[in-house]
């Protein structure tokens, strides 16, 4: 059963194109490493199209960019994950120097799994949206 989780909309004080450029090249996301807890910094690997991370107790998760629609959408899918999912980043311009963003996750979840992970997944999606909104896109 497909389940969809959406973050609330965030305003980012940078242009839609600047945010898209940074988020569509995952190697540029290396700057995020400094914001992670020290024990997790060695557990995450970035390249242009993918991120691999070790998340205890889940294990290794790899996601890759599967589609880009410049400058408004970046779609990611899992490569390795105990729970396959897709993640979309949607960007819309507000002005030339400001945009809004929403994250969406879609996953096939049975009702039992959904009941166990819905709240933590939604909370994690909101934290990810906060981190992206707080990023530097210059």
């Amino acid at each position: 059963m497909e389940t969809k989780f959406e973050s609330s909309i965030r305003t980012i004080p940078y242009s839609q194109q600047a945010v898209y450029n940074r988020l569509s090249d995952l190697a540029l996301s290396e700057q995020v490493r400094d914001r992670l807890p020290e024990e997790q910094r060695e557990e995450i690997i970035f390249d242009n199209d993918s991120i691999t991370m070790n998340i205890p107790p889940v294990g290794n998760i790899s996601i890759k960019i599967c589609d880009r629609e410049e400058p408004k959408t970046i779609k990611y899918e899992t490569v390795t994950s105990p729970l396959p999912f897709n993640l979309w980043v949607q960007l819309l311009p507000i002005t030339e120097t400001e945009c809004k963003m929403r994250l969406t996750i879609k996953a096939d979840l049975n009702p039992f799994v959904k009941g166990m992970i819905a709240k933590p997944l939604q909370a994690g999606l909101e934290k990810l949206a906060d981190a992206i909104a707080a990023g530097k896109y210059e």
Side-chain angles (χ1 to χ4, degrees):
M1 174 178 185
E2 186 171 272
T3 305
K4 182 165 101 172
F5 299 90
E6 291 183 329
S7 72
S8 54
I9 295 172
R10 303 296 197 285
T11 299
I12 303 175
Y14 293 92
S15 72
Q16 177 188 28
Q17 188 67 54
V19 175
Y20 175 87
N21 290 347
R22 177 63 57 119
L23 296 179
S24 66
D25 183 349
L26 294 177
L28 294 174
S29 297
E30 181 74 24
Q31 71 174 357
V32 172
R33 185 182 304 276
D34 294 339
R35 294 190 206 144
L36 296 172
E38 194 167 325
E39 65 275 4
Q40 291 179 346
R41 290 182 190 166
E42 298 302 316
E43 301 291 332
I44 189 163
I45 301 165
F46 296 92
D47 67 25
N48 290 3
D49 291 322
S50 67
I51 298 174
T52 300
M53 60 197 112
N54 186 1
I55 303 175
V58 177
N60 282 332
I61 294 180
S62 293
I63 62 170
K64 70 173 184 172
I65 293 176
C66 60
D67 192 23
R68 294 173 175 94
E69 189 178 337
E70 188 171 353
K72 54 186 180 175
T73 309
I74 307 160
K75 295 180 181 179
Y76 305 83
E77 66 185 5
T78 54
V79 177
T80 307
S81 173
L83 180 66
F85 64 89
N86 292 335
L87 170 70
W88 285 265
V89 178
Q90 300 163 293
L91 301 166
L92 291 172
I94 297 172
T95 66
E96 288 187 20
T97 59
E98 194 175 48
C99 68
K100 47 187 180 172
M101 179 215 45
R102 173 181 292 186
L103 302 179
T104 303
I105 288 180
K106 288 186 182 175
D108 284 326
L109 303 176
N110 68 47
F112 178 73
V113 172
K114 181 180 176 183
M116 289 190 327
I117 69 164
K119 283 186 179 182
L121 186 57
Q122 185 67 46
L125 191 61
E126 295 294 342
K127 285 180 184 177
L128 179 59
D130 286 342
I132 291 171
K136 302 286 184 218
Y137 298 98
E138 298 171 311

